[in-house]
Amino acid sequence: MGLLIVLLLTCAAVPWASSDPSDEACLTHLSQTLKDPLKNLQNWTKSTFANPCSGFTSYLPGATCNNGRIYKLSLTNLSLQGSISPFLSNCTNLQSLDLSSNSISGTIPQDLQYLVNLAVLNLSSNRLEGEIPPQLTLCAYLNVIDLHDNLLTGQIPQELGLLARLSAFDVSYNKLSGPIPASLGNRSGALPRFNATSFEGNKDLYGYPLPPMKTKGLSVLAIVGIGLGSGLASLVLSFTGVCIWLKITEEKMAAEEGKVSQYMPDY
């Protein structure tokens, strides 16, 4: 009996796990920068942010908890607008971030580099602009980067090829330019390789594994063909001109001969 009382007192003295202040700041700022026109995130309120998790139970739609911390955010296909808050980096236990198939604009925050546990980053099918931050390389556990179907510009950071765990990479259908880094397009050894579908749809992007770019302007064969064609046309015109000149000359000579014969005496 005495032992039971001691155990009860011990349990009472141990505080229940409370919400992490970093997670609260992360969720608060994210809700402020995202716009939710269809009200899909009605439960995303300040009171819920103060205590979003209870062990493995989440009180937020789209959020998954692990030991009282947010470790996964999946807010896909919710018609969300606005931008991605740089304070998202406060969710330091986050392992998966999926905001795909929305209408989110703005840039990809460089601060995502502080999500050191992040393994999955899916921001595809949005309206994100600007360049891909090379700082993502600091997320050493990243094995999925999906940024396809956005409006991203600039070159693909070659530093991303240093991510040894990267097994899925897709930046297709953006506005990227320049060469594909060999560290991504032509990986060696046991590293997973990415085919052309990971890079297609970027008009000014080139290099392996994309097919060779079509030369801008006329091809050599076209130039030769045009040259031959124009040369043949010139030859025909020249020959026609010569024929006309000869005909005119012949007629003039015949006329002159006729005039001369009128004044020649008859013998």
Side-chain angles (χ1 to χ4, degrees):
M1 184 65 178
L3 180 60
L4 180 59
I5 294 174
V6 171
L7 289 174
L8 290 173
L9 290 174
T10 302
C11 291
V14 177
W16 292 99
S18 60
S19 65
D20 189 281
S22 297
D23 282 0
E24 183 178 357
C26 163
L27 297 170
T28 300
H29 285 91
L30 183 61
S31 68
Q32 291 173 350
T33 58
L34 289 180
K35 297 179 181 179
D36 180 25
L38 301 183
K39 307 299 181 185
N40 288 308
L41 303 178
Q42 292 187 26
N43 291 341
W44 280 54
T45 60
K46 187 175 181 179
S47 59
T48 311
F49 297 154
N51 189 26
C53 298
S54 177
F56 294 92
T57 303
S58 169
Y59 302 116
L60 288 174
T64 305
C65 297
N66 182 13
N67 198 25
R69 294 291 309 277
I70 300 288
Y71 93 101
K72 181 178 181 181
L73 280 176
S74 181
L75 306 175
T76 66
N77 199 24
L78 297 177
S79 299
L80 298 177
Q81 301 173 5
S83 60
I84 302 173
S85 170
F87 287 93
L88 188 60
S89 60
N90 284 341
C91 285
T92 53
N93 203 48
L94 199 63
Q95 297 180 27
S96 177
L97 175 62
D98 189 348
L99 302 177
S100 62
S101 302
N102 286 293
S103 297
I104 300 172
S105 56
T107 60
I108 301 174
Q110 297 180 5
D111 298 69
L112 295 185
Q113 64 181 296
Y114 300 115
L115 297 175
V116 294
N117 294 307
L118 194 65
V120 176
L121 177 63
N122 189 350
L123 305 177
S124 63
S125 300
N126 279 287
R127 297 176 182 175
L128 295 171
E129 301 174 330
E131 299 185 353
I132 301 172
Q135 292 86 350
L136 290 177
T137 309
L138 297 177
C139 302
Y141 291 102
L142 271 174
N143 56 65
V144 175
I145 297 179
D146 192 350
L147 305 175
H148 82 267
D149 195 15
N150 276 286
L151 303 171
L152 299 172
T153 55
Q155 297 189 6
I156 301 174
Q158 61 180 357
E159 295 91 339
L160 296 182
L162 300 175
L163 292 167
R165 298 172 183 262
L166 195 62
S167 59
F169 183 77
D170 193 346
V171 292
S172 60
Y173 297 98
N174 279 280
K175 296 183 177 181
L176 298 170
S177 59
I180 297 174
S183 56
L184 287 169
N186 193 17
R187 307 180 97 192
S188 59
L191 295 175
R193 299 190 179 188
F194 312 120
N195 57 32
T197 59
S198 295
F199 306 97
E200 64 186 5
N202 294 279
K203 185 177 66 173
D204 296 319
L205 191 66
Y206 60 90
Y208 187 84
L210 289 177
M213 293 182 68
K214 295 181 179 179
T215 56
K216 296 182 179 180
L218 300 173
S219 66
V220 174
L221 290 177
I223 294 173
V224 171
I226 291 174
L228 290 175
S230 60
L232 181 61
S234 299
L235 182 62
V236 170
L237 289 173
S238 299
F239 181 75
T240 303
V242 169
C243 291
I244 294 173
W245 179 80
L246 288 175
K247 180 67 175 177
I248 293 173
T249 302
E250 183 180 357
E251 291 177 351
K252 285 184 177 181
M253 291 179 65
E256 291 295 331
E257 289 178 359
K259 290 180 181 180
V260 170
S261 62
Q262 293 179 0
Y263 299 103
M264 291 290 292
D266 295 330
Y267 293 98

